[in-house]
Amino acid sequence: MDALCPSPPGPTRPQRLYERIGGREGTSFCQTLIHLLKGNIGTGLLGLPLAVKNAGLVLGPISLLCMGVIAIHCMTVLVKCSHYLSIKVNRASLTYGEAMQYGMENVSWLRRHSQWGKVTVNVFLIITQLGFCCVYFVFLSDNIKQNIQYPIDLPKVGRLKDYPLFFGTAIFAFEGIGVVLPLENKMNRPQSFIPVLYLGMGIVTFLYVTLGTIGYLCFGDTIGGSITLNLPNCWTYQGVKLLYSFGIFITFALQFYVPAEILIPPVLARVSVRWERPVDMLLRTVLVLFTCALAILIPELDLVISLVGSVSSSFLALIFPPILQIITFHTEGLSPLVTIKNAAISLIGLIGFITGTYIAIEKIIERNGLKSTEAFSSFMVQ
């Protein structure tokens, strides 16, 4: 019981009620670990060498490690809040949005607006997942279109102006918090999820810090938005890029699943049975074309990753979980230290959101303006 929801604060009902799946077959420890790794390791991993460049050779890895610790802590907070609330409302399991909704119902002056908590989380989940889909389009186009050295004279600390770009890319890579509750809800022994979380995210953090640092050391200032763009143009490396692109291509549907499940069912509920399938296919097609159009409008892989991370991942991974813990356990006597810690994490996420979004949009406008000028100059010369 203490491992799941330490007391104080914690639920007063017996933790044995948290054996939610009971006799039904669920995922094992190893299966959940593999799913957790797959849910966190994607295109964000390949952009981390550029993120380390923006932060500096020393500050980058240290910041990645700190961000990993904070991200794991926020995931743990979300799971513990979900445990407490699911027992309190006598529900077998909760989604991220439902956890925020029931958490707000714990606060009297927020109770009337608790539905907005669920809506807000779902909106950011949609933005994040569709943002992933946009990144996938840009990643595929860059890698399908398309010198190794070990520079030692690299800046240990990057420019302050570029650090928000590091934040956006790093939090994009760590934004696996959307898969945490679905995975935990499907385990045959949900009590074992916290060890799975620590092990899985420990592996992820180690991979992120190592690849980010070694990738920057290897390619230096020439590092691209994805490290695959720096691989030599021989058939071996081209094969690697094509295989990775194929893996990203088939993963598109996995990322697309979350916004589709949030947006499409309410629409289908308003049409007759006869039109359900055509409308379903139409909506899915429109959403895919929408993400493709966004990718065409902003074909800058590094900036798209940083923008998506700053706009939505910062809320889901850093801002919402500490707030949820405060509103969930405020009647249980949260210590001032915990409240201060939660406020600090949310503040870090908010500052990252504001500065990262601003710098990413500024860079996107700057690059597009430069491209337009070059295209116009080329046209005039011809």
Side-chain angles (χ1 to χ4, degrees):
M1 176 175 177
D2 288 339
L4 287 170
C5 264
S7 180
T12 55
R13 296 177 61 184
Q15 192 65 39
R16 60 182 175 81
L17 295 178
Y18 209 67
E19 293 273 2
R20 296 168 310 198
I21 295 180
R24 291 185 296 160
E25 184 179 354
T27 55
S28 66
F29 185 100
C30 290
Q31 289 171 329
T32 307
L33 176 62
I34 297 300
H35 289 318
L36 184 66
L37 292 173
K38 182 63 189 83
N40 281 273
I41 300 175
T43 51
L45 170 68
L46 303 177
L48 287 176
L50 181 60
V52 172
K53 174 189 172 184
N54 288 327
L57 189 57
V58 172
L59 183 60
I62 293 174
S63 299
L64 270 176
L65 182 60
C66 292
M67 194 164 291
V69 171
I70 294 174
I72 295 169
H73 172 73
C74 288
M75 291 177 182
T76 306
V77 165
L78 177 62
V79 171
K80 290 182 177 181
C81 290
S82 174
H83 286 183
Y84 178 89
L85 292 168
S86 63
I87 293 174
K88 184 171 183 178
V89 300
N90 200 25
R91 287 279 302 273
S93 62
L94 299 177
T95 64
Y96 195 164
E98 289 169 343
M100 183 61 74
Q101 176 185 349
Y102 291 125
M104 289 178 67
E105 289 181 2
N106 266 352
V107 183
S108 57
W109 57 276
L110 289 176
R111 193 168 296 133
R112 279 197 320 174
H113 310 287
S114 62
Q115 189 65 28
W116 284 103
K118 178 180 179 179
V119 171
T120 303
V121 169
N122 284 343
V123 165
F124 279 105
L125 280 171
I126 291 168
I127 295 172
T128 300
Q129 299 303 127
L130 290 183
F132 288 165
C133 294
C134 292
V135 169
Y136 284 5
F137 270 117
V138 182
F139 177 88
L140 288 169
S141 63
D142 282 353
N143 279 275
I144 291 174
K145 276 191 306 189
Q146 221 238 310
N147 336 331
I148 296 183
Q149 53 193 349
Y150 274 88
I152 55 173
D153 188 20
L154 297 173
K156 304 301 183 285
V157 177
R159 297 186 304 173
L160 181 62
K161 187 177 181 180
D162 292 334
Y163 193 80
L165 294 176
F166 162 84
F167 174 88
T169 305
I171 200 62
F172 176 94
F174 276 111
E175 206 288 302
I177 198 166
V179 304
V180 167
L181 289 185
L183 290 179
E184 191 262 354
N185 290 338
K186 294 297 182 182
M187 280 194 77
N188 54 11
R189 288 186 54 80
Q191 298 89 336
S192 304
F193 183 74
I194 296 297
V196 173
L197 180 64
Y198 287 157
L199 176 59
M201 292 307 299
I203 295 172
V204 168
T205 304
F206 174 77
L207 286 174
Y208 283 2
V209 174
T210 344
L211 181 68
T213 307
I214 294 175
Y216 181 41
L217 277 172
C218 187
F219 298 109
D221 289 334
T222 63
I223 191 70
S226 165
I227 196 173
T228 55
L229 300 176
N230 291 92
L231 296 177
N233 288 321
C234 67
W235 70 269
T236 310
Y237 290 106
Q238 292 300 318
V240 170
K241 285 195 275 189
L242 288 174
L243 286 173
Y244 206 103
S245 297
F246 178 72
I248 291 297
F249 174 74
I250 60 177
T251 308
F252 181 94
L254 183 64
Q255 302 293 352
F256 187 81
Y257 175 82
V258 174
E261 285 300 299
I262 295 175
L263 293 172
I264 294 177
V267 178
L268 296 183
R270 298 174 180 271
V271 300
S272 63
V273 177
R274 176 187 174 186
W275 289 99
E276 276 188 2
R277 187 168 183 80
V279 171
D280 184 19
M281 298 302 294
L282 176 64
L283 290 175
R284 292 176 187 275
T285 304
V286 168
L287 284 174
V288 172
L289 292 176
F290 174 71
T291 57
C292 182
L294 286 179
I296 294 171
L297 290 173
I298 316 174
E300 307 291 343
L301 181 60
D302 57 326
L303 296 181
V304 174
I305 289 176
S306 185
L307 181 62
V308 173
S310 299
V311 170
S312 54
S313 299
S314 55
F315 276 91
L316 292 174
L318 298 182
I319 298 177
F320 288 156
I323 293 175
L324 178 60
Q325 186 180 34
I326 291 174
I327 61 178
T328 298
F329 295 121
H330 80 286
T331 58
E332 303 285 344
L334 274 181
S335 71
L337 191 61
V338 172
T339 304
I340 293 171
K341 177 263 298 178
N342 286 346
I345 293 175
S346 292
L347 183 61
I348 291 171
L350 185 61
I351 293 173
F353 158 70
I354 295 171
T355 58
T357 303
Y358 174 79
I359 297 296
I361 292 176
E362 181 186 54
K363 292 283 186 182
I364 288 171
I365 295 172
E366 181 183 314
R367 285 194 197 174
N368 285 337
L370 186 61
K371 285 183 178 179
S372 300
T373 304
E374 290 174 350
F376 179 75
S377 302
S378 175
F379 175 76
M380 293 299 291
V381 169
Q382 292 175 359

